[in-house]
Amino acid sequence: MTSAIRIACVGHAVLDHVFEVDALPARPTKTPALSYRPGTGGMAFNAAIAAARLGAAVRMLGRIGSEPAAQMLRERLRAEGVEARGLESVPGATTSVSAIVVDARGERQIFNHRGEAIARAHPLDTRMLHGADVVLADPRWVAGAAAALRWARARRVTAMLDVDVAPAADLQQLVSLTQWAVFSEAGLAAYAPGLAPREALQRALASGCEVAMVTRGKRPVWWLRRGAALRKLAVPQVDAIDTTGAGDVFHAALALAIGERRGDREAVAFAATAAALKCLGGPGVLGAPARRAVEGALPRRAEARQARRTAAERAVASASGGTRRKAAL
C-alpha cells in the first residue's frame, strides 16, 4: 500500500464567528442572523484539515494566543487527525479572530482582526518540517513562511505558497522563495498592482518561482510554468451553498496532487473538483470533501473524454473502411 503524502502546513490559525443571513446588506444596518456558530479557520489551518480529509498525513505549524478559547484550535486539529504540536502558544498574546457573514447564495463577507500571536511569534523550528513531502505556507506569518519555504527549496521538497491579500512587500519576498505560487485574484492584484493577470504571473516567474497560478472563481484557472505557454482549465460549475474555505481546499488538494507526482493539468482538475465539492458540502472547511468523493467526481469527466475519443476513432475507422471498399470496386 502506498504511504500517505506528508504535508506540513505553516501559517495562520483563527477563531471564527460565523453568521448566516438571507442577504448581505447594501448599507449599514442591523441585520438579524439566521444562525450562528463558533468555529475555527485560517488559511493554513483550513488547508491542514482539508488535506487530512483527502488522505494526507498532515502537521500544522503556527502561532496562537494563550487565551482559553485557543485550545479549541488544537482540539479541532486532533479531531481531524492533524498533528497539532507545531501549533504553539505565544504567552500573553491573543489569537486572530474573524467574523464571517454568509448569505443564502453561499457568498461571504469576512471581517478579521490579526491577533498579537503572529506579530510576537517565536521563530519556526524547522526540525518540525523534517519528513514532509510538501510544505504549504500562507503569507500571514511571514517569518515562519519564509523559513519553511527556504527549508523546502534547499532540500528539493515541494514548496507551495497560498498567495492572498497581504502587503506587497511580504508577497514579493515569499513568492521569490516558493516553487509554486498559487494566487487568488485579489492576491495577484496585491502582488503586482496595475498589471494584467498574465503579466503578473510572468513577474512571479521572473522573481524565482517555477509555477505561477491564479484561481478565478467560476472562471478557468490560469497558470504558467517557466519556459511554457499559459495554460487554462475550466472549473466545475456548481450552485454553491457556502464558498468559505473553498480556496483553502483548492490549495490543500493541489499540494496533495503535486506531492503524488500528478501532472499539472490532472492536479489542477483534482484541486478544482475538491473545491467545488466543498462549496456544495456545507459551512467553511466543515464542507471539505473526502478523497473518495473527489475521485468519484473525476472519472465521469474522464469517461466523457474517452467516449468522445472513441467516437472519433470509430468515425476515422469507418471513413477508412469506406475508402478501402471504393478502392476494391
Side-chain angles (χ1 to χ4, degrees):
M1 182 176 177
T2 304
S3 58
I5 295 297
R6 297 162 296 184
I7 300 178
C9 295
V10 180
H12 209 199
V14 180
L15 293 168
D16 284 344
H17 299 275
V18 184
F19 302 84
E20 294 187 354
V21 299
D22 274 328
L24 298 174
R27 57 182 178 79
T29 184
K30 182 182 290 186
T31 303
L34 302 175
S35 69
Y36 163 78
R37 63 176 177 81
T40 56
M43 297 165 69
F45 189 95
N46 283 344
I49 290 174
R53 290 190 175 192
L54 291 169
V58 188
R59 68 195 75 164
M60 173 69 198
L61 296 89
R63 299 293 179 261
I64 57 176
S66 56
E67 68 270 52
Q71 183 60 25
M72 183 190 344
L73 294 162
R74 294 192 185 91
E75 292 171 356
R76 180 61 192 283
L77 290 176
R78 294 185 185 116
E80 296 283 351
V82 177
E83 183 182 311
R85 64 190 178 95
L87 188 63
E88 300 175 358
S89 295
V90 178
T94 56
T95 304
S96 296
V97 179
S98 289
I100 304 172
V101 184
V102 184
D103 70 12
R105 298 178 302 166
E107 298 298 329
R108 82 277 195 259
Q109 185 76 40
I110 300 177
F111 304 86
N112 52 41
H113 172 70
R114 190 73 53 84
E116 300 164 344
I118 293 292
R120 294 169 48 188
H122 48 280
L124 176 71
D125 183 354
T126 56
R127 291 175 298 180
M128 300 187 77
L129 298 170
H130 286 296
D133 299 305
V134 182
V135 169
L136 173 58
D138 71 40
R140 299 294 179 248
W141 179 23
V142 177
L149 295 172
R150 287 192 182 100
W151 178 91
R153 293 295 291 270
R155 290 159 180 78
R156 299 180 182 274
V157 170
T158 299
M160 184 176 294
L161 178 66
D162 177 350
V163 193
D164 202 0
V165 176
D170 293 346
L171 299 183
Q172 289 159 9
Q173 175 191 357
L174 296 176
V175 168
S176 71
L177 297 175
T178 194
Q179 179 184 6
W180 287 73
V182 186
F183 297 84
S184 66
E185 280 191 286
L188 188 60
Y191 169 74
L195 289 187
R198 184 194 297 260
E199 286 68 37
L201 294 176
Q202 290 170 335
R203 175 177 288 187
L205 291 182
S207 77
C209 70
E210 296 178 13
V211 182
M213 179 180 297
V214 59
T215 58
R216 306 165 66 241
K218 292 185 176 182
R219 294 172 294 159
V221 177
W222 287 12
W223 74 99
L224 278 171
R225 180 177 281 276
R226 192 177 298 164
L230 179 70
R231 301 186 69 184
K232 304 177 183 181
L233 184 72
V235 301
Q237 301 298 302
V238 298
D239 293 325
I241 295 173
D242 179 15
T243 60
T244 307
D248 304 325
V249 171
F250 180 94
H251 288 85
L254 184 65
L256 176 64
I258 295 302
E260 292 175 342
R261 301 294 186 263
R262 301 192 188 204
D264 290 0
R265 192 173 189 85
E266 183 183 358
V268 174
F270 181 83
T273 301
L277 290 175
K278 179 263 137 336
C279 291
L280 295 172
V285 78
L286 292 176
R291 185 187 187 103
R292 180 182 300 177
V294 181
E295 297 287 5
L298 285 169
R300 290 193 291 273
R301 300 165 78 186
E303 288 165 6
R305 289 194 296 272
Q306 181 60 45
R308 290 193 295 270
R309 189 179 301 116
T310 301
E313 290 170 351
R314 286 174 178 168
V316 170
S318 177
S320 298
T323 300
R324 285 195 297 271
R325 286 193 297 273
K326 288 180 181 179
L329 291 175

